[in-house]
Amino acid sequence: MRTLAFQMPDRGGGPSGPRMRVGRPSRRARTLLTTLGVLAVLAMAFIMFAGFWTDWLWFRSVKYSTVFTTTLWTKIGLFAVFGLLMAGAVGLNIWLAHRLRPPLSAMSMEQQSLDRYRMSIAPYKKWLLIAIAVVVGLIAGASAAGQWKTWLMYVNGVPFGRKDPQFHLDVSFYTFDLPWYRFLLGFGFAAVVLSVIAAVVVHYLYGGLRVTSPGARATAAATGHLSVLLGLFVTFKAIAYWLDRYGLAVKSSDFKAADNWTGLRYVDANAYLPAKTILVAIAAICAVLFFATLWRRTWQLPVIGFGLMVLSAILIGGLYPAIVQKFQVQPNEQAKESPYVEKNIKATRDAYGIAGAEVKDYPGVPAAGTDKAALRKAADTTASVRLLDPNIVSPAFQQLQQVKGYYGFPSTLAVDRYDGQDTVIGLRELNIGGIPKNNWINDHFKYTHGYGVVAAKGTTVKDGAPDFTQSDLPSKGMFGTDFEQRIYYGEMTKQYSIVGGPQKELDYSDDKGEKETSYKGDSGVNLDNPINRAAYALAFSEPQILYSGAIGDGSRILYNRTPKERVEAVAPWLTIDGAPYPAVVDGRIKWIVDAYTTTNGYPYASRTTLGDSTADSLTNSQRAVVAQENRVNYIRNSVKATVDAYDGTVNLYQWDTADPVLKTWMKAFPGTVKAKSEISKPLMDHLRYPQDLFKVQRELLTRYHVTDPQTFLSGSEAWAVPDDPTTKAGTAVPPYYLSMKMPNQTEKDQVFSLTTTFTPNERDNLSAYMAVNADPGTPDYGKIRILKLPTSKPVDGPKQVQSKFQSEPKIAESIRLLRGGDSEVEYGNLLAVPLDGGMLYVEPVYVRSSGLKYPLLRKVLVTYGGQTAFEDTLEKALSVVFGAEAPTTPTTPTPPTTPPGEGTTTPPTSQDPTVKAALTDAQKAIEAAEAARQKGDWAAFGKAQDDIKAALQRAIDAEAKLTAPTPKPGG
């Protein structure tokens, strides 16, 4: 039956006079409009092209173009394949629903109301179909392109050689295969859901589905079409249930035994796992019922089957596991969960590289009758105690070695070793904020680089200031002067520079004036080509790049200049350590960057958040935390990278030769990572164990040092990383690099190590001491050694040691005198060293006077075996602690002589009765605190601490009144 078209009569009502005819635009106008349109299209195309082109030029300049092309083609391939699949699926179902439309005979009121919509889209049906398919295809393609890492890991996956304990599949299935299968499943669900929505709309629009009309609600054709789509949906659900079985091995859950628990527990293995298997069968049967609708032409059976599937998911997948947990697990949790806890412990220790941690008991107190002279000698041979705190002395480097305002040092310096000496090192980098007469030429053409290395001994000072071994400008000292000192790439170099052209650069200034230079390196992108200049003018939103006369033959643009940026760009599959550090190697300044391979799919291994695990009092204020807030449960320091400070060359070296994740990425990007054997001996001498990996491992070891499941579940042996007592932030104490000798190490000499302390949960005494061999030149590199202290006789932890330092009357008096005037006292790193059964604590104390802008080391605090010393030098403090010398008697500064009549009062001495009484009360409170600590009476210990503070405050207040000047006569 034909559809009748009705023409509405002209109702009139408008103007009835003669109409004006608008003439066609002239040929000239049409040409102009066409030209402007073409130019607009070209401009938009060039803007989109500029980003792609500059990226290609940069990757080519660093000789990692294969990373760019591999990533690009992978994204294009995924975009095209999955975009076409989604567009085809949705478009096919729209076309099919339209083709299966019924003839519109005896239209109901419902259909008559839809007729105007059908008529309005009738002329554009084909274009509308294409538009919808293109839009969903673009969205799906863009989503798939974001899965390029998942795809590359899937097709290049390397076996781990280890199997999970539940399903006995290689770990690579969970890390490389399962994520890709989940993506495919999600894509399938999305395609079916969009197809169902599109088909329902078309069927309803053309009468295949009805809502209010009498009779059948759906035609046979619509019923068959939708039943197939719903059958596919339920089929995907069956596959999802099957994959969920394996997902239990990498599922995180709340469990009091450990935060971020991962893996199967008793209820998972004995309730969820069989439930998922049953649901697979139910979903498969339900899918068959939907497909059978093609022949039965009724929804009755599939709807019943779908309802049973939903009910089964609630009862079998939800209620049954809850019953098992409540009535089987909770009454006897330790016995039920122990086998699964054991699997979690083993997997977690393997995944984080802590399985080889060696735990040994350590008394924590020296043996009675130990020869003090021998202890004094052992203190020198056991550790090279670093007095120069790299987190505090940066201002001293800045004031003494900055030379010019446009140079600067990072707020945290690096610790390295040269010729067996622990060394604090920093580079004199360009400080863009200190450039005089800020303008575009100065910022990007004249001031382009820093100059020189500054290094100081870590274990000694000179008159309180750093004892420099490399200094001045040009830099000279232990490295000599015959090395490339210019720093074009560094942590502080974040702006772009244009070098090598007609505009000369400032090299450095000395007594004879400014020295100029022109960049001779081959890094950066050449700007000779006008297309390149136009692209970068767009990329940096700086039109002057396009026409400036300062750019000419040989001009090159340098950007992405921090070591972290460069390594992340050429290896986007690596997680970068937050603390790159410089070293002078083979006549060049090299930035050394530690990089990690990680995954979130290691079965049974508990997860950690990298940003949280690596946060401490250093990272919060001084430097970046490791990369992003990644959630991972496997990590390896698999790559050591270097960035040349002059020409920006990036080299990646395979460090962990057994890591399957790195091997997978090396297959995906062949030729990007060099063999470990290519690391030169001079470079090897400056590699070290990375801090961020150490922080992750120590966080895990607070619980996973325990290997017995029963003890692990009880939590009685859990530790905590102590707060840093020298800061007000209340954040974790940072680990310290230190050359030392552990009691149970195999090497005879001191080894460059990374150390930390542990305390019990909610307590401040010391529970363990941990050190890792950080020197790659030794056979035991990476060996973790833990000294476990007894719980029966508590040993002071960092917070208690710091509290004793500050509450000791004589020390408190000395610190008060150091704070005289407007001076500030800053506490350096509180270093702990195991020594002959006891713990030796050393803390440098810096003073920053009001007239000096940098801190000077003025005192050293040392404690061992209950003895404390506060002296001008480490040698003196050690001798006092071990009884070789008498302590220095604190003296009160002599007041300046004043003219007669000025009316000043002589400052009080410790003989003042009020001050003396207060100090006596403080001493009694200290003795009470020590007695309470030994008894374990922490309430009494806290009260005694309050009494100490109150007594010292009385002494300070009394002395302040006595030192106040009296009024002048007649005043």
Side-chain angles (χ1 to χ4, degrees):
M1 183 175 181
R2 290 189 306 171
T3 302
L4 299 178
F6 298 93
Q7 184 177 0
M8 297 294 293
D10 185 2
R11 302 287 185 186
S16 57
R19 298 183 180 180
M20 295 180 61
R21 295 180 60 86
V22 180
R24 296 178 61 191
S26 65
R27 178 180 297 178
R28 185 175 182 180
R30 292 199 305 271
T31 303
L32 179 61
L33 291 173
T34 303
T35 303
L36 290 176
V38 170
L39 289 176
V41 171
L42 290 176
M44 293 176 61
F46 187 77
I47 290 172
M48 293 185 291
F49 167 77
F52 161 80
W53 185 243
T54 53
D55 285 346
W56 161 248
L57 292 174
W58 186 86
F59 275 96
R60 191 176 63 176
S61 73
V62 293
K63 299 178 175 59
Y64 281 88
S65 56
T66 56
V67 174
F68 179 81
T69 54
T70 299
T71 304
L72 178 64
W73 286 116
T74 302
K75 290 179 178 178
I76 291 174
L78 292 173
F79 179 89
V81 170
F82 287 94
L84 288 173
L85 284 175
M86 182 64 76
V90 175
L92 174 64
N93 281 281
I94 292 175
W95 175 84
L96 189 59
H98 180 265
R99 186 177 181 85
L100 296 175
R101 69 190 185 281
L104 297 176
S105 58
M107 287 191 297
S108 65
M109 292 299 296
E110 180 182 9
Q111 287 301 309
Q112 288 182 27
S113 65
L114 293 174
D115 192 53
R116 58 175 176 170
Y117 297 108
R118 288 192 291 267
M119 293 180 64
S120 62
I121 67 173
Y124 312 106
K125 285 190 294 186
K126 183 172 69 173
W127 295 109
L128 187 61
L129 171 62
I130 294 173
I132 293 173
V134 168
V135 169
V136 297
L138 289 174
I139 296 173
S143 175
Q147 298 293 324
W148 65 273
K149 290 184 181 180
T150 306
W151 166 253
L152 288 176
M153 294 181 78
Y154 171 70
V155 296
N156 296 287
V158 172
F160 274 68
R162 293 190 291 274
K163 296 183 177 181
D164 78 283
Q166 179 66 42
F167 301 102
H168 307 292
L169 297 173
D170 191 90
V171 172
S172 61
F173 170 80
Y174 300 93
T175 56
F176 304 142
D177 299 345
L178 189 59
W180 179 249
Y181 297 152
R182 288 192 180 279
F183 165 72
L184 292 178
L185 186 63
F187 180 85
F189 273 123
V192 170
V193 169
L194 290 176
S195 297
V196 168
I197 293 172
V200 167
V201 170
V202 175
H203 279 302
Y204 177 69
L205 185 63
Y206 286 96
L209 295 177
R210 297 165 188 170
V211 178
T212 60
S213 301
R217 300 296 186 189
T219 64
T223 300
H225 184 195
L226 294 177
S227 65
V228 171
L229 290 176
L230 293 175
L232 287 174
F233 181 88
V234 178
T235 301
F236 285 141
K237 190 61 182 175
I239 297 172
Y241 283 135
W242 184 257
L243 291 181
D244 285 346
R245 298 169 66 255
Y246 302 110
L248 293 172
V250 290
K251 182 196 73 171
S252 289
S253 59
D254 295 329
F255 190 29
K256 68 179 182 180
D259 296 332
N260 301 313
W261 173 274
T262 303
L264 285 85
R265 291 158 50 193
Y266 180 89
V267 69
D268 297 312
N270 294 278
Y272 279 112
L273 188 58
K276 296 291 184 183
T277 305
I278 295 171
L279 288 172
V280 169
I282 294 174
I285 294 171
C286 185
V288 171
L289 293 177
F290 272 106
F291 291 134
T293 307
L294 282 171
W295 296 275
R296 292 180 56 85
R297 303 295 184 181
T298 176
W299 290 96
Q300 184 176 8
L301 285 179
V303 168
I304 293 173
F306 188 79
L308 289 174
M309 186 181 76
V310 173
L311 182 63
S312 300
I314 296 172
L315 296 178
I316 302 175
L319 184 60
Y320 174 61
I323 293 172
V324 171
Q325 178 68 24
K326 180 71 175 178
F327 295 103
Q328 290 190 33
V329 178
Q330 289 185 4
N332 192 15
E333 187 174 45
Q334 287 205 348
K336 296 291 186 182
E337 299 287 15
S338 286
Y340 304 96
V341 171
E342 186 175 6
K343 296 173 184 178
N344 174 268
I345 292 173
K346 184 179 185 305
T348 302
R349 288 168 62 88
D350 287 340
Y352 290 94
I354 57 177
E358 182 180 275
V359 182
K360 290 194 174 182
D361 292 332
Y362 188 72
V365 293
T370 304
D371 182 27
K372 291 187 176 181
L375 281 175
R376 175 65 186 86
K377 184 177 180 181
D380 290 331
T381 58
T382 299
S384 298
V385 177
R386 179 169 44 77
L387 298 176
L388 213 60
D389 188 340
N391 311 322
I392 290 181
V393 300
S394 179
F397 276 52
Q398 191 82 4
Q399 291 297 315
L400 299 175
Q401 291 296 321
Q402 180 186 21
V403 182
K404 295 291 182 180
Y406 46 80
Y407 291 131
F409 292 90
S411 57
T412 299
L413 302 174
V415 177
D416 202 347
R417 64 268 187 225
Y418 290 89
D419 299 327
Q421 166 73 48
D422 285 7
T423 301
V424 177
I425 186 171
L427 300 186
R428 191 183 290 107
E429 295 190 50
L430 180 67
N431 174 24
I432 191 69
I435 293 177
K437 297 181 180 178
N438 282 93
N439 56 58
W440 190 63
I441 294 295
N442 277 355
D443 290 353
H444 300 288
F445 289 82
K446 186 173 182 180
Y447 296 89
T448 59
H449 60 279
Y451 200 102
V453 179
V454 178
K457 295 179 181 178
T459 54
T460 61
V461 295
K462 184 180 291 184
D463 297 327
D467 185 4
F468 292 111
T469 56
Q470 184 79 22
S471 59
D472 300 332
L473 191 67
S475 182
K476 56 183 179 291
M478 64 178 177
F479 305 134
T481 58
D482 189 21
F483 69 99
E484 180 53 70
Q485 300 193 36
R486 298 172 183 87
I487 303 156
Y488 283 87
Y489 295 89
E491 287 188 289
M492 298 174 64
T493 316
K494 298 180 180 179
Q495 77 284 358
Y496 71 89
S497 289
I498 298 176
V499 299
Q503 177 69 44
K504 292 294 184 180
E505 309 161 44
L506 174 68
D507 206 17
Y508 64 90
S509 299
D510 58 15
D511 296 337
K512 298 179 181 179
E514 292 185 351
K515 307 290 184 184
E516 291 186 333
T517 188
S518 186
Y519 186 65
K520 300 298 191 297
D522 60 355
S523 68
V525 178
N526 200 309
L527 294 178
D528 289 348
N529 189 326
I531 295 178
N532 292 359
R533 293 176 65 169
Y536 279 103
L538 279 172
F540 290 109
S541 301
E542 182 50 71
Q544 293 187 75
I545 294 177
L546 186 59
Y547 56 77
S548 174
I551 301 175
D553 291 341
S555 292
R556 310 178 73 85
I557 185 168
L558 313 180
Y559 62 104
N560 286 350
R561 298 172 70 182
T562 68
K564 184 174 182 290
E565 283 178 323
R566 296 182 78 78
V567 176
E568 279 181 333
V570 303
W573 32 273
L574 290 174
T575 299
I576 310 302
D577 189 272
Y581 60 98
V584 179
V585 179
D586 296 326
R588 309 281 287 199
I589 301 173
K590 304 275 190 181
W591 288 99
I592 299 175
V593 184
D594 285 289
Y596 310 104
T597 47
T598 62
T599 182
N600 194 29
Y602 197 100
Y604 273 98
S606 288
R607 290 179 170 85
T608 187
T609 303
L610 290 183
D612 295 338
S613 299
T614 57
D616 54 35
S617 61
L618 170 60
T619 59
N620 283 356
S621 60
Q622 303 280 350
R623 70 175 182 85
V625 178
V626 58
Q628 306 84 12
E629 295 286 324
N630 291 2
R631 288 269 294 170
V632 304
N633 66 352
Y634 172 93
I635 186 170
R636 289 290 186 271
N637 177 211
S638 53
V639 171
K640 299 285 188 181
T642 63
V643 177
D644 192 290
Y646 181 72
D647 63 19
T649 300
V650 180
N651 286 313
L652 307 176
Y653 298 99
Q654 182 182 15
W655 185 246
D656 189 335
T657 56
D659 177 29
V661 181
L662 177 60
K663 291 178 180 179
T664 295
W665 287 118
M666 289 174 68
K667 281 181 64 180
F669 296 97
T672 57
V673 181
K674 297 182 178 181
K676 186 176 183 178
S677 58
E678 295 189 43
I679 300 177
S680 66
K681 177 63 168 62
L683 175 59
M684 184 71 76
D685 290 341
H686 295 286
L687 301 181
R688 67 187 191 187
Y689 201 85
Q691 278 182 303
D692 284 336
L693 175 62
F694 184 79
K695 292 175 191 176
V696 172
Q697 291 175 326
R698 76 170 178 179
E699 184 66 31
L700 269 295
L701 282 167
T702 57
R703 294 196 66 90
Y704 285 93
H705 66 279
V706 175
T707 56
D708 176 61
Q710 298 290 335
T711 307
F712 187 91
L713 280 167
S714 70
S716 60
E717 294 289 331
W719 298 337
V721 178
D723 289 341
D724 188 346
T726 65
T727 68
K728 297 179 181 179
T731 48
V733 62
Y736 298 118
Y737 287 106
L738 191 65
S739 289
M740 60 170 294
K741 182 166 57 176
M742 285 286 282
N744 53 344
Q745 79 176 35
T746 55
E747 293 86 0
K748 295 181 180 179
D749 300 324
Q750 296 177 11
V751 173
F752 192 62
S753 304
L754 196 50
T755 65
T756 193
T757 52
F758 294 105
T759 58
N761 272 335
E762 308 298 332
R763 294 175 62 187
D764 293 328
N765 57 287
L766 195 67
S767 59
Y769 180 87
M770 171 179 165
V772 62
N773 184 331
D775 186 355
T778 56
D780 272 355
Y781 170 79
K783 177 72 174 180
I784 297 174
R785 295 181 173 89
I786 298 176
L787 303 178
K788 184 180 176 183
L789 283 82
T791 56
S792 57
K793 296 180 180 180
V795 178
D796 287 341
K799 189 174 181 179
Q800 293 171 324
V801 169
Q802 186 71 23
S803 179
K804 283 188 175 182
F805 278 157
Q806 296 176 344
S807 60
E808 182 80 25
K810 293 181 180 179
I811 295 176
E813 175 69 8
S814 297
I815 291 176
R816 189 192 66 78
L817 295 174
L818 290 174
R819 286 198 176 106
D822 294 328
S823 297
E824 297 179 8
V825 172
E826 296 183 41
Y827 296 100
N829 35 222
L830 179 57
L831 301 175
V833 178
L835 177 65
D836 197 49
M839 293 300 300
L840 175 70
Y841 285 97
V842 179
E843 183 177 72
V845 178
Y846 296 85
V847 177
R848 190 196 300 255
S849 67
S850 57
L852 204 62
K853 296 182 179 178
Y854 60 91
L856 295 175
L857 180 66
R858 290 308 187 198
K859 291 287 185 179
V860 180
L861 287 160
V862 175
T863 183
Y864 181 82
Q867 300 297 315
T868 302
F870 186 60
E871 301 294 337
D872 294 341
T873 65
L874 175 62
E875 291 73 17
K876 173 71 174 178
L878 289 172
S879 297
V880 170
V881 162
F882 295 116
E885 296 184 36
T888 302
T889 303
T891 57
T892 303
T894 304
T897 304
T898 57
E902 289 298 310
T904 57
T905 302
T906 303
T909 67
S910 60
Q911 298 303 316
D912 181 82
T914 304
V915 176
K916 190 173 182 180
L919 293 178
T920 301
D921 291 342
Q923 182 61 41
K924 291 179 180 178
I926 291 171
E927 293 172 357
E930 180 62 17
R933 185 187 67 81
Q934 293 179 357
K935 293 178 182 178
D937 187 351
W938 301 111
F941 180 83
K943 183 178 181 302
Q945 292 292 325
D946 294 338
D947 293 340
I948 293 169
K949 294 178 182 178
L952 290 175
Q953 189 61 48
R954 290 201 306 273
I956 292 170
D957 293 342
E959 200 163 272
K961 290 179 181 179
L962 292 172
T963 56
T966 59
K968 296 180 181 179

